[in-house]
Amino acid sequence: MLACAPFAGAVHAADAPDSGDTARTLDSITVVAEREPGNFDLDRGEIELTQASDLSDLLSNESGVAVGGGSPVAQKVYVRGFEDTMLNVTIDGAQEPAELYHHQTRVQIEPEFIKSIELDAGAGAATQGAGALTGAMRVRTRDAFDLLRPGQDTGFLIKGAAGLNGGNSSKGVLAGYGRLSDHLGVLATYVYQDGGDYEDGHGDRVKPTAFEHERAQFKLSGVFDAHRFDLSAEHLDDTGTYYERPHMTNFTGRYILSDHQMRRDTVSYEHRFDPEGDAVDARFTAYRIRSSYENRRNTTGILYSWGEQTSTGMDLRNTSTWDALSLTYGLDYRGDRLHARQQATPPPFWGRTEQTARVFGAYAQGHWTLSPQWTLSAGLRYDDYRHEGKSGVSAGAKNSQAKASPNASIQWTPIEPLTFRLAYSQAFRGVTIREAFFSALYTHRGDLDGEQADNLEFGVSWEKDGYFARATAYRQRIENYISAVYDGGAAWGYWENIGTAKVEGYEAEIGKRWQRMGVSVGVWNSDNTFNDRPLNDADLGLGTSIGRTWTARFDWQPASQQANYAVRARLVEDERNSIAPSAPDKPGYAVVDVMANWNLLGDDRLKLGAAVNNLFDRFYYDHGTYGYQAGSGRYIGFPSPGRELSLSVTYRF
């Protein structure tokens, strides 16, 4: 939760080595919007403390967020009840647009070398990027200067980790880093994780959920007076043997095990130029991403489906400041190309596709301090989309549309501890490439309208003497939502505008921070509907209904500053299941996680970490998991893992 972010930074400051490079102050980036509850910023200390190995470990205890799926490869992120397919996700500035296969996530994140994760929920500032219908999540990774200790020119990191649950899991981490000169640093990392089939809260083995994960990265960083750059190359590889839909059991009795492989290769370059003076603070980002998947029958090796999407993009922006005014303005571009094939349907409907899409955007976001009591922020984006079917099931189809997206917010502080904020934003996403598997099955006619989101928020915050209380109420609509619709005629189906999605909800938190301790309690609730009916688990790609969620946090660091201890808890209330009139409610559940780490040698060279997730071994289905199916009258999704003990040892030298 946001309110704990300042405290978490203080607690973990002892764990963050100072590289001794004064030029590191270039890391600061201007933020033109006040953070509200639900807009969090996870730092490196929090990530290490949670012993995070996947998305659920990272995000499940954050306000406004749910993670469902079971196996890490099938996990999906829900922000205010909407799927991450409508969320702009960037890693080191590189946008991750590729949707691959069913419930397998495009948000492939390896926690080991993440520096921070920021989430701005809801359509917002123009700087969020093109098509940010439900907000933006920005992931930053570490570099050599982040890992080097004072006075150190070269270093190595070795880490071993284990998760004790069911078939257990193990992870090995290697990293080498150093200074090539006073201004250049290089980092090379490798991570391998072998995860076994886990056990649920009843002690039953959940199969098939085992996986293998590999991640490698090379990063060259430079700091030269007013210039700073990062050149990064990253490779991710996930493999496993699952049923046709990796987030579901073999509920039909005829699903065939398939060998699944997902890969992502990213090359990105970021350059920052921040000379003395207020007129120029420029940043340029360029990237190329290739994401692919392949599913083959486990018994025969016959192809079930395959897809590869490449994305090439750039973002050029500058921030100028004049006394009470700060203005960020820039241009961005992304071009996508998809090749996909599916042989999952009866042979007459086997299909393939080649599609291209591009979006060009121009934007500006201003932030004015009108007086000590009043602050105004306003911005505008203009995005031009072009989509074309080159061959296969959508050959010859073309979609194009351009639209402006304004936003404005005003903040009033009548007395120093109390602040009110009112914000309205729009976001536009034109027709672009959708899920690779469905793109080889469903046809484009070329007559689609782009999706249009608007978001209205009201927030209030109060903070004094370490006590804080914050709340946000929001209402958002997404019009012209695009989805695949089954036809059953000459074509299997078509992409169509099928209606309007809405969400109304609130988030709130209260707490207290001391020098070495912090506590907070929060609640969030989102009522999501589509065409005036509640969302349910069958609304794949859009979202689902999630029960009102209560969260609690406790953090403590002893006076020695050589350890950190924390408790995270969440209570999710029952939620009515609208998937069928006879469907039972989604059952509520309560989960408690405890975690700690220790610096064993009095500094950060040797660190021991431990966490117990689901301490009381509760059996439950996360509300973000496809649970009950009306047709079978059964729960066909995977239950969440039961109690798991995670241990890690990290040595830096």
Side-chain angles (χ1 to χ4, degrees), residues 101-274:
Y101 176 71
H102 284 1
H103 212 262
Q104 287 176 302
T105 178
R106 69 190 176 97
V107 190
Q108 297 284 91
I109 297 176
E110 166 54 54
E112 286 300 331
F113 291 94
I114 291 177
K115 183 176 182 178
S116 65
I117 302 177
E118 300 176 46
L119 174 71
D120 291 331
T127 51
Q128 285 186 347
L133 298 179
T134 59
M137 184 166 70
R138 294 175 290 275
V139 180
R140 310 295 303 183
T141 64
R142 306 168 85 184
D143 61 29
F145 297 117
D146 295 319
L147 292 165
L148 287 167
R149 299 195 306 275
Q152 191 178 35
D153 290 325
T154 59
F156 298 90
L157 181 149
I158 300 175
K159 178 177 180 178
L164 307 181
N165 172 289
N168 301 328
S169 65
S170 60
K171 176 185 282 191
V173 181
L174 295 173
Y177 43 91
R179 299 177 190 269
L180 300 179
S181 70
D182 291 340
H183 302 285
L184 288 174
V186 63
L187 168 68
T189 69
Y190 177 76
V191 179
Y192 175 79
Q193 185 176 7
D194 185 1
D197 295 319
Y198 64 82
E199 288 182 356
D200 61 27
H202 288 159
D204 296 326
R205 192 66 62 90
V206 180
K207 297 182 179 180
T209 55
F211 65 94
E212 290 184 61
H213 170 85
E214 288 185 89
R215 186 253 191 193
Q217 184 185 25
F218 174 86
K219 194 169 190 179
L220 178 67
S221 303
V223 180
F224 298 86
D225 298 325
H227 294 270
R228 177 199 169 105
F229 74 84
D230 289 290
L231 174 63
S232 175
E234 182 193 45
H235 171 78
L236 282 175
D237 197 328
D238 277 289
T239 58
T241 299
Y242 312 104
Y243 292 121
E244 294 172 359
R245 299 181 180 183
H247 62 300
M248 293 182 180
T249 63
N250 187 18
F251 65 95
T252 66
R254 59 177 176 81
Y255 278 178
I256 300 173
L257 287 174
S258 298
D259 296 325
H260 295 235
Q261 183 173 50
M262 298 179 65
R263 290 180 175 174
R264 187 181 74 219
D265 292 286
T266 303
V267 177
S268 63
Y269 177 79
E270 285 192 288
H271 195 108
R272 179 87 178 270
F273 177 55
D274 186 10

Side-chain angles (χ1 to χ4, degrees), residues 484-500:
V485 178
Y486 176 72
D487 180 83
W492 185 268
Y494 297 91
W495 295 101
E496 297 181 5
N497 296 109
I498 62 173
T500 299

Side-chain angles (χ1 to χ4, degrees), residues 268-326:
S268 63
Y269 177 79
E270 285 192 288
H271 195 108
R272 179 87 178 270
F273 177 55
D274 186 10
E276 294 183 3
D278 298 328
V280 178
D281 182 358
R283 187 172 64 188
F284 172 73
T285 304
Y287 58 89
R288 181 175 175 83
I289 304 170
R290 183 177 65 181
S291 300
S292 64
Y293 83 99
E294 183 176 84
N295 301 340
R296 291 186 176 272
R297 298 302 195 190
N298 179 258
T299 53
T300 64
I302 294 175
L303 180 71
Y304 183 79
S305 59
W306 165 86
E308 179 179 281
Q309 179 168 324
T310 58
S311 298
T312 304
M314 57 76 66
D315 185 318
L316 175 62
R317 65 179 63 186
N318 183 58
T319 299
S320 301
T321 304
W322 303 271
D323 296 327
L325 170 64
S326 175

